[in-house]
Amino acid sequence: MSNRLNWIDNLRAIACIMVVMIHSTSYYVATGLSVGEMNWSVANLLNSASRVCVPLFFMISGYLFFGEKSARKKHFLRITLCVLFYSLISLIYIAVFTRIGFWPSLKSLLLKPVFYHLWFFYAIIVIYLLSPLIAVKQVSAGYLAAIVVILGVVANPNMVSLSWHGVHLLPVNLYVVGDTFYYLLYALMGRAIGMLDTGRRGVSWAAALIFFASIIAIALSTHRQTLINGNFADTFYAYCGPLVFIAALSLFVWCKNCLTFTLPSLRLIAENSLAIYGFHAVIINFIRGHKLDFTHWPVLDIAYIFMTALLLSLLLSMGLHRLDRHRLMS
């Protein structure tokens, strides 16, 4: 325990909290401006600020496994058991509380996750599989900045198309295809930034400003695109999009520099983050599906859904710990 990295624990907890926030606000952002522009704007801002959650999880895994250490048998066993256990929990929920059907969900288990949020467990397996082959070298801040500009923005296929007088300018086609490339890139950047000396004066302030500027840009761009389309547009919500990419890296730097101390509340969430991730979506779906929410008061409802899902998931996780002594699924 003495070798734990406080900032990694704090970052993991923050990412976990953000995941719950995304799913707590998704009902309103997907509904569109019909819920009221102010209510939708609050949900949009909270959701925009939380889009970095999944990239942060990949960056944490890269920091831990793309260096001297790599994923071992126990890590593969754990992720496999997590896929099976939380898929089983979701299948039971689907069979008892929904009309989706047990068998239609089960037969596609190897093609897609049983419940939407479980996709991450599948994606992280790729990072684990590649970890024994990858040991990231220490590089300069300038080189990492070039990576951000070239792969994160200029050649990012999620970049909004830009032309001038009929000449295509962005994105530049470097044959970067698929989200998996960016999940791997997040992991690589996590390790590279983790080894980088980011403690120089002004870096933390710059990282914070870039993060907030990126979040505002995501929220405003989403609002504008939604007005253009006439309904909700998730163009700028993409985990691999340029703005989310920049926001995730800047928050990673800020946490590495500024959250190096122990925070008991975040430590508790970090220790239970895996099970919180596994349980929370089912809880939110149950509350929404059984009309136990307060959609007439959207802002209050978001806070209620968020706190209920987080606390119940935490309690379930703590209960699971009593059964799962080896922490294979919790």
Side-chain angles (χ1 to χ4, degrees), residues 59 67 78 86 120 150 172 217 233-234 238 255 297 301 324:
M59 293 180 76
R78 192 182 194 203
Y86 292 107
F120 175 77
I150 297 172
V172 174
D234 63 354
C255 288
W297 299 282
D301 183 58
D324 183 20

Side-chain angles (χ1 to χ4, degrees), residues 19 25-26 51-52 77 97 102 104-105 142 169 182 188 196 209 233 253 304 313 315:
V19 168
T25 57
S26 59
R51 300 314 298 184
V52 299
L77 174 63
F97 295 106
F102 181 90
S105 300
L169 299 177
Y182 280 93
L188 293 169
L196 193 66
L209 288 173
V253 170
Y304 157 71
S313 298
L315 290 174

Side-chain angles (χ1 to χ4, degrees), residues 219-241:
L220 291 177
S221 299
T222 300
H223 182 266
R224 179 176 178 273
Q225 195 63 46
T226 296
L227 290 175
I228 293 173
N229 291 8
N231 52 37
F232 171 63
D234 63 354
T235 306
F236 298 93
Y237 275 9
Y239 293 130
C240 304

Side-chain angles (χ1 to χ4, degrees), residues 9-24:
D9 272 349
N10 293 333
L11 193 61
R12 183 183 287 113
I14 290 171
C16 182
I17 290 169
M18 286 178 167
V19 168
V20 181
M21 180 56 74
I22 282 180
H23 296 144
S24 299

Side-chain angles (χ1 to χ4, degrees), residues 18-85:
M18 286 178 167
V19 168
V20 181
M21 180 56 74
I22 282 180
H23 296 144
S24 299
T25 57
S26 59
Y27 170 82
Y28 294 103
V29 294
T31 300
L33 299 175
S34 61
V35 299
E37 186 162 354
M38 187 193 75
N39 295 323
W40 186 86
S41 295
V42 170
N44 176 37
L45 182 60
L46 291 172
N47 204 301
S48 297
S50 303
R51 300 314 298 184
V52 299
C53 59
V54 169
L56 289 177
F57 280 131
F58 283 112
M59 293 180 76
I60 290 170
S61 295
Y63 177 76
L64 296 175
F65 296 135
F66 280 6
E68 296 82 7
K69 298 180 180 180
S70 60
R72 293 180 288 178
K73 290 182 180 179
K74 67 176 183 179
H75 298 109
F76 289 104
L77 174 63
R78 192 182 194 203
I79 200 66
T80 301
L81 290 176
C82 282
V83 170
L84 295 176
F85 176 75

